[in-house]
Amino acid sequence: MSQFQEEVEQGHRKRRNLMVQKVSGWGHERYPRASRWFGKTIRFIQGPESPINYPAPTGLLDRTWNFRGRSFDIYWEKYVLHFTHFLKKPWIFWPLAAAYIVALAFFARANYFFTPTESFIDCNAAYWKSLDGCGLDGLDCLPFGFDDATFNFRCPAGCMDAYLRNIRTVGDQEVIYVPLVVGGGDANQTYRGDSFLCAAGIHAGLISESRGGCAKVLLIGTFTDFISSSAHGITATPFPSVFPLSLRLTPSDTLNHCTDLRREALAFDILVTVLIFLVLRPKAIILFWSLVCIGYWHVNLFSDPAVPPDLATAFQTLLPSLFICYAFWRSGFRHVLPEFSNLPIERMIWYLPAFWAGVLFNVVVAGIPIDRLVGSDIADRPGALTALIICCLVASVLVFNQLRVIRKTGWLPFYLKWYALGGLALLVLGLLPGLDFRLHHYFAAMLVIPLTAFPTRLSAIYQAFCLGMFLNGAAKFGLDSILQTPEELRRDAPLGSELPNFLTNSTNWNSSAPITDQILRWQDLPSGLDWDGFSLLVDDVERYVGTATNFSLSGLNATIPHFFRLAFQSQGTSGDFTKAAVWKPSGNWTDPEPGPS
């Protein structure tokens, strides 16, 4: 050890001892036991007296292998360095980078720009809106159907993952955590108008879950008795009553180039990153920015894009994302990535699988029953709490192991100070009235990456995964606020408003009289509240809006069941609807269950 290093360590020990004496001496006379315990805790946090400076990792692949008494010297890393050294030239890298950009543009063109923009739909697209979204008698969702009411459309891949996050009521059934597909079990495969078109296309066998596809929709107007069936991984919901808008799907007769090329794009981008890591091997900072740009545009253009890609929004988010990634380089990557420069194979192994797992974060975690880290979501979804506990335990083990590494270097007090200040700031922000804290996955990556500034193999894996996860969140959702209002978090869940009561019930219903001769009645408007009217859904269609407290059932078909839901209104805006009251052709009336629908 040099004299300079000895002087540095002596200074470190001196500062360490002075700090421990100062902190533990505050209450030593009055609380000696607590003071000694506190002093030991401080010493532990400060780490060993001689902090470890982690050296560059030594190769695991360059070694001597023994087989049947013979020794073989195999130096994989040195072979790669030797045979690719002449390609490690800027004048080779930059023309190839330009060629990659051109190839990516052609890839995106082939994937999207041979299809008319108006033909693209997203996975949740439907003709009919939920509850009273289509207005009285559904007039806001016209046309219901006529001879030439057709539309050729194209769906992206992965639409089975576009499922209902909140309960959607179909008749008296509550549907959640599946794509909304109603009907399709009859001979002509007729679907109700609020079915997700892409999911219905998958159910009908016209669209591929993994490759997307095109189809043509024909609106056929009123239809009765939507039959359930299971096909291609989707079980449709039945609806035994009448609905004014229904549709059927057939193969598209005008659209070509309908295959989603995200698989080919993924293979192409992975191959490019492998070539950069193994063959071209630019400087570490160029390698880092190559990962950032390739990952960001892969999400925007292929793995989870808007359809077609919204390039204006992508460029809007790009600049702040680059600033954050520069902070990643300064706080984490510049301490680790260059240390693997002489180990190109290992660097590829530790970085690329984790990086692409992060970029495809939505695909990797698709099977975990957690949509958002929001208390209401976790409480309502089966299995979410268990999955969250398991994820937290795994994350805790990984974080504590990384803290163990940091402690050995003597940097733990520095990190604890800044993370404590950051945690205090987040606590204050989370207590602001009218706002809820939401931990986006891009923000979780920002919290973790500074902890990876130590040249170990696990640090390389952590920071690669977190970089990919950040790019996935930033590219797909934008840098969404970590503080959101309850209304923003609610989506289409119930508002929590007051619910009206039906006066017609199973006790006073005359089951011997025809339904066409009966009148549905409900309570008067409550006094002292802002409600000024009612909205009545009959068979999931708004059939009455006003202040009256009764509705004639004379226009209903007596051979099929009917479903009734009621809500208060204020200035034309409905509150929560009740669950469905049900009349059956047998004459029986079933009262609605308590709670909103």
Side-chain angles (χ1 to χ4, degrees), residues 123-257:
C123 294
N124 293 322
Y127 275 95
W128 192 274
K129 301 175 184 177
S130 63
L131 299 175
D132 58 349
C134 285
L136 186 64
D137 295 326
L139 297 180
D140 293 342
C141 292
L142 289 173
F144 293 158
F146 46 86
D147 291 342
D148 58 349
T150 62
F151 171 60
N152 287 272
F153 63 92
R154 177 180 169 184
C155 293
C159 281
M160 287 182 66
D161 292 332
Y163 52 82
L164 294 169
R165 264 66 176 183
N166 291 310
I167 291 175
R168 183 77 62 88
T169 300
V170 177
D172 60 344
Q173 299 183 73
E174 294 184 337
V175 184
I176 192 171
Y177 305 131
V178 294
L180 181 61
V181 178
V182 182
D186 61 297
N188 295 317
Q189 290 188 307
T190 308
Y191 298 93
R192 209 171 82 160
D194 56 350
S195 299
F196 294 169
L197 286 177
C198 293
I202 295 173
H203 182 268
L206 299 174
I207 293 172
S208 168
E209 158 65 9
S210 61
R211 308 292 281 173
C214 298
K216 181 174 75 172
V217 58
L218 171 65
L219 302 182
I220 61 170
T222 302
F223 189 80
T224 301
D225 193 13
F226 296 85
I227 302 172
S228 172
S229 68
S230 297
H232 305 100
I234 294 179
T235 299
T237 302
F239 182 67
S241 193
V242 62
F243 203 76
L245 175 58
S246 55
L247 54 91
R248 292 171 183 152
L249 300 175
T250 59
S252 174
D253 54 11
T254 61
L255 298 179
N256 300 309
H257 303 91

Side-chain angles (χ1 to χ4, degrees), residues 344-363:
I345 299 178
E346 277 202 54
R347 184 169 63 178
M348 180 193 69
I349 292 172
W350 306 130
Y351 273 92
L352 289 189
F355 171 74
W356 284 109
V359 169
L360 302 176
F361 184 78
N362 57 306
V363 177

